[in-house]
Amino acid sequence: MTAIREEDFVQSIADAFQFISYYHPADFVHALGEAWAREESPAAKEAIAQILSNSRMCAEARRPICQDTGIAVVFLKLGMNVQWQSTCSVQEMVDEGVRRAYANPDNVLRKSVLADPAGARRNTQDNTPAVVHVELVLGDTLEVICAAKGGGSENKAKMAMLNPSDDIVDWVLKTVPQMGAGWCPPGILGIGIGGTPEKAVLLAKESLMAPVDIHLLREKAARGDQLTRIEQLRLELMEKVNALGIGAQGLGGLTCVLDVKVLDYPTHAASKPVAMIPNCAATRHVHFRLDGSGPAKLTPPRLQDWPQVAWKPDTQSATRVDLDTLTREQVAAWQPGQALLLNGKLLTGRDAAHKRIQDMLAKGEKLPVDFTNRVIYYVGPVDPVRDEVVGPAGPTTATRMDRFTRMMLEKTGLIAMVGKSERGPTAIEAIRDNRSAYLMAVGGAAYLVSTAIKASRVLAFADLGMEAIYEFTVEDMPVTVAVDANGTSVHQTGPKLWQAKIGKIPVVAG
């Protein structure tokens, strides 16, 4: 009988969540490099280059790949011959490991977990509790998978109870475009089929823990080997989802997904539960086994395995913008898809700050920050360590601020915004009416973006922590004009253009 010590398990969990915060899985990096090499869309290729450069920088500096260091998810396959040497429950041990990982002073991780989700939404301050799934299996070892899932990708999870005769491919092709780009493609789609509703969702999540291996299926098919129904489905979905032309960051291009994973389970004769969960460009998971001999030993990937992609600001073709002298006329002149390099003072703010501004305006109170002719960046940065000005500071999903956009543009003097992914109809209408603009930064390049931030100070709402209003001083921070003053959105025009170019799926007018 194997005896596993509490401290070995707790430290293994802590080490794992530190490890995945700065190391992409090697298989994911390889697949992303191949996607960059074959990408034909300049905007998508540029985005993938930033993600790859960010990935290598994080591996070298051991700092988070993304500012959203995720909610901790742990899968345990517990051998029934294992005996615990512990006075704590499995949940308590996992939580202690997460607590250690996220408070590590050498690599502080952002705490994003909130208690009382339907009420006060109070931050637990240590990113616990983790979400733990335990399965009892035969054997005398403990198999562990640790994953960090960011809110941007988790928020795009979809689940449906299809009729038995409904086509799963049709559902996926209808649903993926509705997910938008807030999940930061290119990434991986996990699909669970069968069982009951909660089982299908769990299957979808668990499928994402497997390595990228779609290339092996392609080789198998090319040899003429017989494929299982699930293998056929994976290949069909891979080809057709990418044929939608969504591309990296939703800008239009050849690659939206690097792999499609499918797990299934027997289901009721009257049912066909289907769930789909994406893994973003900050895909983070690690697998290890404990056998009673001590804590896990995690082997870092080799830096030489990263593609030789080193992104740098393109000062020749991108337009440098002085934020300190920016005018409404300059903003109105920006063109859809135009590459900009931001310089000067940049404000920050996201959900909680916007809600507080709304409440203050409703009460007739004076705002603590003057937004006149300013640009706001939707971000919740990681705390800095050592000599950093700010920790990884990539963009958050902009659609969450759509409901506040008209208020900010018409009542505060704001003239432009920076975030990730698309804007919805409400925000686009407000941008057009106010001759404003929305700029997109690359999701999944948080550490790279932070190197453009040369100074940082809190201006207001310090009690909100990472959601406070900061003022960043930036130098050549890369962004793309995603919605111009006329309301033209590259997240609408780009995918349509590339879907037509790829030519495998008809483009629907309107």
Side-chain angles (χ1 to χ4, degrees):
M1 180 172 287
T2 299
I4 296 180
R5 295 174 59 246
E6 175 183 319
E7 178 59 23
D8 290 343
F9 180 55
V10 169
Q11 192 57 49
S12 297
I13 294 292
D15 291 345
F17 278 101
Q18 274 286 309
F19 186 91
I20 63 177
S21 75
Y22 43 72
Y23 288 137
H24 265 130
D27 53 273
F28 183 85
V29 171
H30 180 72
L32 195 59
E34 289 190 336
W36 175 82
R38 65 174 175 265
E39 185 56 68
E40 298 174 12
S41 162
K45 197 175 185 78
E46 165 86 357
I48 297 174
Q50 288 191 34
I51 294 167
L52 281 169
S53 295
N54 181 78
S55 177
R56 186 184 179 98
M57 290 168 62
C58 293
E60 292 172 336
R62 296 196 173 191
R63 289 295 275 144
I65 294 167
C66 180
Q67 79 288 341
D68 185 347
T69 50
I71 186 169
V73 181
V74 178
F75 289 89
L76 301 175
K77 291 187 183 295
L78 177 61
M80 290 190 289
N81 293 330
V82 168
Q83 182 178 34
W84 289 102
Q85 293 183 350
S86 173
T87 58
C88 300
S89 69
V90 169
Q91 179 74 51
E92 288 171 334
M93 287 187 285
V94 170
D95 286 347
E96 176 56 26
V98 171
R99 191 174 293 114
R100 289 186 192 179
Y102 279 73
N104 188 314
D106 292 326
N107 180 41
V108 178
L109 305 182
R110 199 183 83 184
K111 291 85 171 174
S112 301
V113 172
L114 307 179
D116 191 13
R121 297 180 64 84
R122 184 188 70 260
N123 197 298
T124 64
Q125 301 300 323
D126 59 9
N127 223 56
T128 68
V131 177
V132 183
H133 304 286
V134 182
E135 180 182 355
L136 293 177
V137 298
L138 294 174
D140 54 7
T141 60
L142 174 63
E143 301 283 344
V144 184
I145 299 175
C146 291
K149 287 293 268 103
S153 60
E154 290 291 84
N155 289 345
K156 300 301 180 179
K158 303 293 181 182
M159 193 273 158
M161 296 299 292
L162 302 183
N163 292 319
S165 61
D166 290 342
D167 187 87
I168 291 173
V169 174
D170 288 346
W171 178 77
V172 171
L173 295 181
K174 175 185 176 183
T175 305
V176 168
Q178 297 172 0
M179 289 162 49
W183 61 279
C184 290
I188 302 164
L189 289 183
I191 296 174
I193 305 169
T196 51
E198 79 282 3
K199 180 66 174 179
V201 175
L202 185 57
L203 288 170
K205 177 64 68 65
E206 191 171 6
S207 75
L208 292 170
M209 304 300 113
V212 175
D213 64 356
I214 198 77
H215 59 290
L216 299 179
L217 283 190
R218 286 175 172 148
E219 293 170 4
K220 186 176 179 180
R223 292 193 302 266
D225 296 348
Q226 186 172 0
L227 300 176
T228 67
R229 172 61 192 142
I230 291 299
E231 290 173 335
Q232 293 172 10
L233 180 61
R234 287 179 61 196
L235 287 173
E236 182 180 3
L237 286 172
M238 179 78 173
E239 179 182 17
K240 290 184 175 179
V241 169
N242 281 332
L244 292 169
I246 293 168
Q249 303 290 298
L251 296 170
L254 300 179
T255 302
C256 172
V257 293
L258 303 173
D259 201 345
V260 177
K261 300 296 186 182
V262 180
L263 289 177
D264 68 353
Y265 195 85
T267 193
H268 191 283
S271 303
K272 189 188 276 188
V274 182
M276 178 165 57
I277 303 176
N279 238 358
C280 63
T283 288
R284 297 162 291 194
H285 56 79
V286 68
H287 308 214
F288 60 88
R289 174 186 296 172
L290 297 181
D291 59 8
S293 61
K297 294 179 175 60
L298 305 175
T299 303
R302 303 183 311 162
L303 287 177
Q304 54 264 45
D305 290 339
W306 262 259
Q308 295 303 307
V309 178
W311 181 90
K312 291 183 179 179
D314 186 352
T315 56
Q316 299 300 314
S317 60
T319 303
R320 274 200 167 109
V321 173
D322 185 347
L323 296 171
D324 300 333
T325 61
L326 188 62
T327 66
R328 291 182 175 275
E329 290 72 26
Q330 289 173 307
V331 171
W334 291 338
Q335 299 298 307
Q338 184 177 353
L340 307 178
L341 295 172
L342 303 183
N343 292 270
K345 301 292 193 301
L346 178 66
L347 298 175
T348 79
R350 40 182 281 165
D351 312 60
H354 281 74
K355 179 63 169 64
R356 191 168 291 184
I357 290 168
Q358 182 184 59
D359 292 344
M360 292 180 72
L361 289 173
K363 296 175 183 176
E365 297 175 357
K366 180 179 173 60
L367 298 181
V369 176
D370 185 0
F371 291 92
T372 304
N373 289 347
R374 302 295 296 272
V375 178
I376 196 168
Y377 180 29
Y378 302 145
V379 63
V382 176
D383 290 340
V385 298
R386 296 180 288 279
D387 59 349
E388 292 178 345
V389 168
V390 67
T396 196
T397 306
T399 49
R400 297 204 313 275
M401 269 55 73
D402 282 5
R403 59 181 291 208
F404 303 109
T405 300
R406 186 173 292 277
M407 171 196 74
M408 293 297 294
L409 294 177
E410 296 181 357
K411 295 186 178 181
T412 73
L414 192 74
I415 58 174
M417 302 146 284
V418 183
K420 78 170 184 182
S421 74
E422 73 284 347
R423 302 306 298 264
T426 300
I428 291 175
E429 182 181 8
I431 291 168
R432 184 185 63 240
D433 291 348
N434 289 278
R435 304 292 290 166
S436 177
Y438 165 63
L439 313 175
M440 191 210 78
V442 172
Y447 190 55
L448 183 149
V449 170
S450 71
T451 63
I453 302 169
K454 305 305 180 183
S456 170
R457 64 187 181 117
V458 174
L459 293 188
F461 308 154
D463 61 297
L464 296 180
M466 61 93 173
E467 293 211 51
I469 296 179
Y470 292 77
E471 183 179 71
F472 290 163
T473 301
V474 298
E475 290 183 8
D476 287 343
M477 176 179 165
V479 295
T480 300
V481 179
V483 181
D484 75 346
N486 296 315
T488 301
S489 169
V490 297
H491 287 99
Q492 296 174 359
T493 59
K496 284 185 179 180
L497 172 65
W498 281 93
Q499 184 174 334
K501 281 187 177 183
I502 295 169
K504 293 181 180 179
I505 296 177
V507 178
V508 178

